[in-house]
């Protein structure tokens, strides 16, 4: 992983980008140019950064976490009413120990959601994830709130990607064409119980699968860790009101390996319960993802990258989901 940073993740105020995001001459604005310069550096050196000035209100971000705490506090039998199964497209609640990363059980529970789509739209591959998202009866307002949140995260992700597209030296819209015109999304609502023991792995080391991840985490526990080039794990200390943003495998490929998808993991060493809502903005489900021509020309023969030449995003996702839940039947 080409993560050339030591001890902290960069903080980027993207407000100028949002103000100008529909303009044709975005880079003429000094505020935009500055945000874009920082994005480039963060994406090259780290693959992780904090986003502030993003326009999603802190009160909404907090409400999302509060309701998530409320859900996970419910008795098991209540949570199991929306249990994840292959028959519902791997959507819904999974208890602790159901999710595996690199063959090891993770110490977290979660609700998994995916963009809903018409039966048959994505053929055999898509069938695996066909189904409707499952929302609990309590808290009652949860589904409505999360629907609104997903919409805001989708718009925000598109706008951050415009900045990243500029940072790579393209037009603002390189990630909106054929491969990303109809973006898929994934959302994981995750709970990590407090522990009395050190270094329990809440989520094992992994990279994210798609384009861009937006992480909304509890403000008062430090648990997410990012690996740097030296192999040290650097903590992503919460900054209230910010999102932590990171690059996924598809953006690594599209950028011809110029930007990395960085390894990260979660260890909640706190005694208290931690929640995190991770929103994953992806390419089209059926996109055949390969380095974009413009970035192949700009960054020819980039040696650092062993970029896979061609990946169908949906296949990549489905493979990951099936490995993650290989033990689902036995353990639930
Ligand atoms: N949709 C995304 N990116 N989810 C990331 C989850 C990573 C853990 C998963 N068990 C794994 O093995 O990948
Ligand atoms: O809990 C977190 O902070 C991050 C979770 C994560 O990396 C993921 O779900 O992909
Ligand atoms: Fe992740």
């Amino acid at each position: 992983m080409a993560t050339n940073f030591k001890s902290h993740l960069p903080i980027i105020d993207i407000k100028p980008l949002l103000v100008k995001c529909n303009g044709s001459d975005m880079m003429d604005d000094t505020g935009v140019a500055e945000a874009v310069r920082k994005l480039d550096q963060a994406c090259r050196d780290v693959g992780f950064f904090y986003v502030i000035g993003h326009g999603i209100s802190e009160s909404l971000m907090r409400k999302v976490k509060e309701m998530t705490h409320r859900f996970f506090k419910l008795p098991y039998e209540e949570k199991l009413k929306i249990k994840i199964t292959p028959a519902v497209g791997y959507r819904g609640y999974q208890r602790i120990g159901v999710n595996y990363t690199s063959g090891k059980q993770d110490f977290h529970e979660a609700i998994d959601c995916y963009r809903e789509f018409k039966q048959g739209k994505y053929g055999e591959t898509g069938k695996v994830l066909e189904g409707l998202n499952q929302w609990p009866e309590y808290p009652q307002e949860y589904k409505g709130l999360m629907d609104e949140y997903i919409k805001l995260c989708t718009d925000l992700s598109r706008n951050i990607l415009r900045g990243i597209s500029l940072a790579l030296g393209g037009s603002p819209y390189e990630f909106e064409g054929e491969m990303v015109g109809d973006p898929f999304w994934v959302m994981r609502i995750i709970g990590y119980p407090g522990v009395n023991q050190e270094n329990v792995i809440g989520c094992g080391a992994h990279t994210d699968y798609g384009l861009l991840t937006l992480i909304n985490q509890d403000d008062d526990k430090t648990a997410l860790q990012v690996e740097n080039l030296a192999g040290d794990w650097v903590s992503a200390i919460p900054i209230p009101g910010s999102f932590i943003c990171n690059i996924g495998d598809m953006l690594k490929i599209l950028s011809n390996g110029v930007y990395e998808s960085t390894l990260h993991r979660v260890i909640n060493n706190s005694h208290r319960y931690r929640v995190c809502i991770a929103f994953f903005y992806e390419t089209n489900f059926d996109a055949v993802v390969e380095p974009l021509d413009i970035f192949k020309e700009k960054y020819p023969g980039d040696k650092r990258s062993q970029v896979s030449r061609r990946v169908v995003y949906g296949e990549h996702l489905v493979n990951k989901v099936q490995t993650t839940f290989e033990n689902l039947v036995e353990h639930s």
Side-chain angles (χ1 to χ4, degrees), residues 206-208 213 215 246 264 280:
H206 65 278
T207 58
D208 291 343
T213 306
I215 291 170
N246 66 284
H264 54 286
F280 305 94

Side-chain angles (χ1 to χ4, degrees), residues 139-202:
Q140 223 184 23
E141 328 84 288
Y142 204 20
K143 179 185 188 306
L145 184 82
M146 296 314 281
D147 283 343
E148 181 194 347
Y149 184 72
I150 288 163
K151 195 184 165 317
L152 293 173
C153 286
T154 304
D155 290 343
L156 175 58
S157 303
R158 188 192 322 105
N159 285 328
I160 296 173
L161 277 168
R162 287 188 181 173
I164 291 178
S165 189
L166 288 167
L168 281 163
S171 84
Y173 310 112
E174 307 299 343
F175 303 119
E176 290 175 38
E178 205 186 323
M179 295 183 217
V180 202
D182 184 23
F184 199 68
W185 57 258
V186 179
M187 185 171 63
R188 304 201 66 220
I189 297 169
I190 315 168
Y192 304 87
V195 291
N196 293 312
Q197 202 185 335
E198 291 254 296
N199 299 331
V200 175
I201 304 292

